[in-house]
């Protein structure tokens, strides 16, 4: 995540999901992920705040994380 995990390690949980596992498949279903790669930003209540498809740049990832934290 371009170092964002280190920057927000005490505030945000970053999960890397293997779509080929049972748990990964369950998370894909839960959050409506149909393609890869995708970054799903979820708020504290488990509601999807934003989805970033493909390989987003650092600015887009940072904007999504800041947005959900505000």
């Amino acid at each position: 995540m371009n170092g964002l995990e280190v920057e927000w390690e005490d505030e945000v949980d970053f999960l890397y999901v293997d779509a080929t596992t049972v748990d990964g498949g369950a998370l894909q279903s839960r959050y409506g992920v149909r393609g890869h790669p995708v970054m799903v930003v979820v708020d504290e209540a488990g509601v999807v705040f934003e989805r970033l498809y493909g390989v987003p740049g650092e600015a887009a990832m940072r904007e999504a994380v800041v947005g959900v934290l505000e």
Side-chain angles (χ1 to χ4, degrees), residues 12-58:
V12 177
D13 292 325
F14 289 86
L15 302 175
Y16 296 85
V17 177
D18 180 347
T20 64
T21 66
V22 172
D23 290 338
L27 283 171
Q28 287 186 111
S29 294
R30 180 176 179 179
Y31 293 110
V33 173
R34 293 186 185 94
H36 306 108
V38 63
M39 176 181 163
V40 181
V41 181
V42 181
D43 68 13
E44 289 181 13
V47 176
V48 174
F49 176 78
E50 188 168 354
R51 286 183 179 87
L52 301 172
Y53 296 94
V55 182
E58 181 179 346

